[in-house]
Amino acid sequence: GAVVSQHPSWVICKSGTSVKIECRSLDFQATTMFWYRQFPKQSLMLMATSNEGSKATYEQGVEKDKFLINHASLTLSTLTVTSAHPEDSSFYICSARPGDSYGYTFGSGTRLTVV
Amino acid sequence: EDQVTQSPEALRLQEGESSSLNCSYTVSGLRGLFWYRQDPGKGPEFLFTLYSAGEEKEKERLKATLTKKESFLHITAPKPEDSATYLCAVRANYGGSQGNLIFGKGTKLSVKP
C-alpha cells in the first residue's frame, strides 16, 4: 500500500535554531502534500499545502517565513521550522493522497521539542 | 463555517462491549468523510472513506455508516488492541482535486480486558 515516510520521528532543539522535517512518498508520486500540526487533545490543524514545483499555500495565521516548505520533487516535501521557540513545540504530521481512489496517507509524525 | 464534531471525547468499554462513536459535520459540499485511527505518538492510520448518505463500510470489528449530517463508527465486541483515538475528517467541495481534510478532535477509546 501507499506509504508516507516522515523523519525524524522526534527532535529536540535549542531556541533560536532551525529544524528540518522530511516527508517522502515511498511508492507513489505526490504533487501535493499537506502539513498538519497537532496539539495534545486537539485535532489536526492544517498548516500548509505543499505543491511540487511551486510555492506552498499557507493557512491563515501560519507564518510563511517561520515555517518554510520546499517541495522540490514528486516524492519529497520538507518543512523547516526557523528560529524555533518553545511555543513551536508540537507534533507535526505530513500527508499525501496516492490517487482519487485512495484515502489520505499520513506520515508517522515528528515530535518537536524546543528548549 | 465547515465543522466536524466528534462525541464522546472519551469512551471506556469492557472487552466485548459494543458501542458507537459519532461524527457530526457541517460542510459546504461533502467530497468524502474519512475515519482514521491514531495511536499515541503516531500519525493517523486510514480506516474508511464514505462518500454518500446510506453508504456503509466494514473492516474486522469496525463498521462505518454515513447520513447527510453525521457518521457513526460502530465497534462490535471490541478488544484491548482497539484502544486508540479515532479521528473523523471531511473533505469539502473546494480546494481543487487535492482538497485538504477538516478534522474533528477525536474520540479516545479505551478497551479494558
Side-chain angles (χ1 to χ4, degrees):
Chain A
V3 176
V4 171
S5 176
Q6 186 174 342
H7 293 281
S9 56
W10 60 271
V11 58
I12 301 173
C13 70
K14 293 184 178 181
S15 289
T17 62
S18 295
V19 173
K20 181 184 284 187
I21 302 170
E22 290 191 350
C23 181
R24 294 180 183 271
S25 56
L26 295 187
D27 47 6
F28 66 98
Q29 294 183 331
T31 56
T32 303
M33 289 187 176
F34 303 94
W35 287 96
Y36 291 86
R37 183 173 179 174
Q38 187 177 32
F39 291 105
K41 297 184 180 181
Q42 297 295 317
S43 62
L44 279 74
M45 298 299 296
L46 181 68
M47 298 175 64
T49 301
S50 168
N51 303 296
E52 187 269 334
S54 64
K55 291 183 178 180
T57 304
Y58 290 81
E59 295 301 300
Q60 192 172 10
V62 177
E63 298 178 60
K64 300 179 182 181
D65 295 333
K66 181 166 192 61
F67 299 100
L68 300 179
I69 290 175
N70 183 279
H71 196 152
S73 77
L74 289 171
T75 60
L76 174 64
S77 176
T78 61
L79 169 68
T80 302
V81 183
T82 62
S83 186
H85 288 94
E87 56 264 32
D88 298 325
S89 298
S90 189
F91 193 55
Y92 294 86
I93 313 174
C94 66
S95 171
R97 196 177 192 211
D100 286 345
S101 60
Y102 294 88
Y104 291 74
T105 301
F106 285 81
S108 56
T110 298
R111 170 70 61 190
L112 170 64
T113 303
V114 184
V115 298
Chain B
E1 181 183 346
D2 298 332
Q3 199 168 15
V4 177
T5 304
Q6 290 188 247
S7 62
E9 287 187 15
L11 181 62
R12 289 189 171 188
L13 299 174
Q14 287 297 127
E15 184 171 3
E17 180 186 1
S18 301
S19 187
S20 296
L21 282 55
N22 177 266
C23 172
S24 299
Y25 64 91
T26 53
V27 64
S28 53
L30 181 70
R31 294 180 67 187
L33 185 141
F34 300 79
W35 281 99
Y36 286 87
R37 169 189 171 131
Q38 186 176 27
D39 292 300
K42 302 291 184 181
E45 175 188 343
F46 173 73
L47 293 174
F48 305 107
T49 308
L50 302 168
Y51 290 101
S52 56
E55 189 175 358
E56 299 182 352
K57 288 191 177 176
E58 289 188 65
K59 180 181 179 180
E60 296 180 351
R61 295 178 292 281
L62 301 176
K63 179 180 177 180
T65 62
L66 181 65
T67 71
K68 290 186 178 180
K69 295 183 178 181
E70 58 191 350
S71 176
F72 290 94
L73 183 65
H74 306 278
I75 301 178
T76 303
K79 298 182 178 181
E81 53 262 41
D82 294 323
S83 297
T85 295
Y86 290 85
L87 301 172
C88 172
V90 297
R91 182 184 172 200
N93 193 24
Y94 54 82
S97 61
Q98 293 288 342
N100 59 283
L101 300 179
I102 301 167
F103 280 87
K105 292 185 178 181
T107 293
K108 185 176 181 179
L109 174 66
S110 299
V111 182
K112 302 297 182 184

